[in-house]
Amino acid sequence: MIDVIESLKDRTEEPYRGLCRDLELPYSSVMRWRTRRKDGKAAVDQPGPQKTGPLDLSALYDGIRGLRHGRKRTGGTVAMFREFKNQVSRREFQGMVKTVRGEIDGAKEALERRIEWLVPGLVWGMDDTERAWLERYKAYVLLAHDYGSRYAVGVQGDDAKPNGLMTATFTERVFGDAGMRPLFLKHDRGSNFMSREMQEVLAEEYVIPLISPRHYPPYNGGVERAHQDIIRHVYQLLGDDKVDGRTFRLACEVSRHEVNHLCRAPLSGLTACHVFEEARPYVRAYCRRQRREAYEEIKTLSIDIVDELGEDTVKARETAFRYAAETWMQLNNIIRVTRNGVVLPPFYQLWSH
């Protein structure tokens, strides 16, 4: 946490008291931690005798996750602690149990968090889905969606599952047709999105990829709902009939047009097409230099978070980058994050994951 605070102070030049107030940390504790760090000591010492036995941390966490977790208590901890008592202290064990219980509760709390997109055009999402509309093959729908305006930027219907090259080609075409490209693109870990061809396109266009966490569809939920709108309109056109590929592709394009020109209450009665067009000046304001600066700022903050977590894994780095990007977007008034109607501070993510 000291590294995070020092990094924030360097960038914001805010006094330590102000940062402690924003982060809801005791000022005296932060000063004590800094003094210990300057003296070459650990910021916080673990009370009690130190355990010296080898610890299989993965086995311990797997065991804790398998316990009976309630909202405030966890069953089965006594027996499990006996198994690991020579490798971990009781205090450390109880902290791990609380952390895992918090992760489980956190998944529920995450569903209560709501993101309001303040600037359209800057954050897009991409996803694909499959249906059984074609005569001989499955039907696949690849969608590019803008979160701020709810605009379906591009839709591609096909009888072949999109691979890396197809997805990259589709992305280039969508950028060209739209006449702009987003600052962020959210997608899952599908092989077509993680492919070398796709990542090269994003790098060339200075688009920052945000990879969805595994087994957590709500992170890219806007695209999921947009897909449902498209599929619903395709179904109105085709019903249960089996059609050829050309008819299916045409139905996808017609559905995209209809969805984009619906008047929507969340958009003050305007259409997604209208709001997306108004976003062009905001998107074009982010030139390559500004996009590169945004990426470097997010990357620096994510490195600080990984260092604080003390877990340099692919999952930890992706999680840190997601929340660093969300923090950056809050600080730059691109999004507003609320939970149960209360606006969350921009540094909320630093201690919630």
Side-chain angles (χ1 to χ4, degrees):
M1 179 60 73
I2 292 297
D3 292 333
V4 175
I5 294 174
E6 296 288 355
S7 177
L8 291 173
K9 179 173 175 57
D10 291 341
R11 287 197 293 272
T12 64
E13 298 183 355
E14 186 175 353
Y16 283 107
R17 286 191 182 276
L19 289 174
C20 291
R21 184 170 56 252
D22 292 339
L23 296 173
E24 297 183 359
L25 291 173
Y27 174 75
S28 59
S29 297
V30 172
M31 293 299 101
R32 184 173 63 254
W33 298 340
R34 292 185 66 244
T35 301
R36 292 183 63 85
R37 284 282 295 273
K38 289 180 180 179
D39 294 339
K41 301 177 182 179
V44 180
D45 282 337
Q46 175 65 47
Q50 301 299 310
K51 301 295 182 177
T52 58
L55 174 61
D56 187 345
L57 193 59
S58 177
L60 176 57
Y61 266 108
D62 288 343
I64 293 175
R65 288 191 180 94
L67 295 176
R68 302 184 303 276
H69 294 283
R71 186 167 184 82
K72 296 184 178 181
R73 299 178 63 86
T74 298
T77 57
V78 175
M80 177 161 289
F81 176 69
R82 291 198 191 104
E83 181 181 350
F84 290 92
K85 66 180 182 179
N86 294 326
Q87 293 85 41
V88 63
S89 70
R90 185 181 297 276
R91 182 189 296 269
E92 290 172 329
F93 177 77
Q94 291 173 343
M96 293 177 183
V97 172
K98 184 177 180 180
T99 298
V100 172
R101 189 167 61 237
E103 289 176 356
I104 295 173
D105 291 339
K108 301 173 184 176
E109 290 181 3
L111 294 176
E112 299 173 354
R113 295 172 68 247
R114 179 177 180 273
I115 295 180
E116 181 181 355
W117 306 94
L118 304 179
V119 183
L122 290 178
V123 186
W124 297 6
M126 289 186 66
D127 195 18
D128 53 55
T129 188
E130 63 180 49
R131 288 294 188 273
W133 262 308
L134 300 184
E135 296 170 338
R136 300 175 57 187
Y137 307 99
K138 286 184 178 179
Y140 296 90
V141 181
L142 181 60
L143 171 67
H145 167 81
D146 172 49
Y147 281 89
S149 64
R150 305 191 180 192
Y151 182 76
V153 190
V155 175
Q156 176 172 291
D158 210 324
D159 58 1
K161 184 177 178 62
N163 57 25
L165 180 58
M166 292 170 58
T167 304
T169 303
F170 168 75
T171 303
E172 286 184 315
R173 177 168 57 81
V174 168
F175 288 170
D177 292 345
M180 59 182 176
R181 74 274 199 214
L183 180 59
F184 297 94
L185 180 69
K186 299 172 69 173
H187 61 77
D188 59 28
R189 297 190 63 86
S191 58
N192 55 326
F193 298 117
M194 300 297 293
S195 65
R196 176 181 55 82
E197 296 91 346
M198 181 63 176
Q199 297 306 310
E200 286 178 352
V201 169
L202 298 183
E204 290 173 0
E205 297 291 342
Y206 286 76
V207 176
I208 303 173
L210 295 178
I211 304 173
S212 303
R214 297 178 185 273
H215 312 302
Y216 190 61
Y219 183 78
N220 211 7
V223 177
E224 299 286 343
R225 291 187 292 272
H227 250 142
Q228 294 173 6
D229 288 343
I230 296 290
I231 295 301
R232 188 181 305 112
H233 279 78
V234 172
Y235 186 81
Q236 292 175 358
L237 295 172
L238 303 181
D240 295 322
D241 297 336
K242 301 295 182 181
V243 298
D244 57 70
R246 181 178 179 277
T247 302
F248 174 66
R249 286 189 288 272
L250 181 60
C252 289
E253 283 296 333
V254 171
S255 298
R256 170 179 171 262
H257 177 82
E258 292 180 351
V259 167
N260 283 338
H261 290 84
L262 293 175
C263 295
R264 297 177 180 271
L267 300 178
S268 301
L270 301 174
T271 66
C273 181
H274 180 90
V275 176
F276 185 74
E277 286 299 317
E278 289 187 336
R280 292 187 180 277
Y282 302 105
V283 179
R284 288 171 178 166
Y286 282 90
C287 62
R288 294 199 170 198
R289 178 181 58 82
Q290 291 174 313
R291 289 168 180 263
R292 185 165 51 246
E293 290 175 354
Y295 174 76
E296 292 299 331
E297 290 176 8
I298 293 169
K299 182 179 178 181
T300 300
L301 181 55
S302 68
I303 292 174
D304 291 342
I305 296 174
V306 169
D307 290 342
E308 178 65 24
L309 292 174
E311 183 183 353
D312 190 10
T313 63
V314 172
K315 181 179 179 181
R317 289 194 295 270
E318 289 181 356
T319 300
F321 193 87
R322 279 193 298 270
Y323 285 104
E326 186 172 304
T327 298
W328 186 91
M329 283 189 272
Q330 283 184 265
L331 293 173
N332 286 272
N333 297 317
I334 295 175
I335 63 173
R336 181 185 296 118
V337 182
T338 59
R339 180 156 56 91
N340 295 328
V342 178
V343 178
L344 298 180
F347 306 119
Y348 167 82
Q349 295 79 7
L350 298 183
W351 65 84
S352 66
H353 287 77

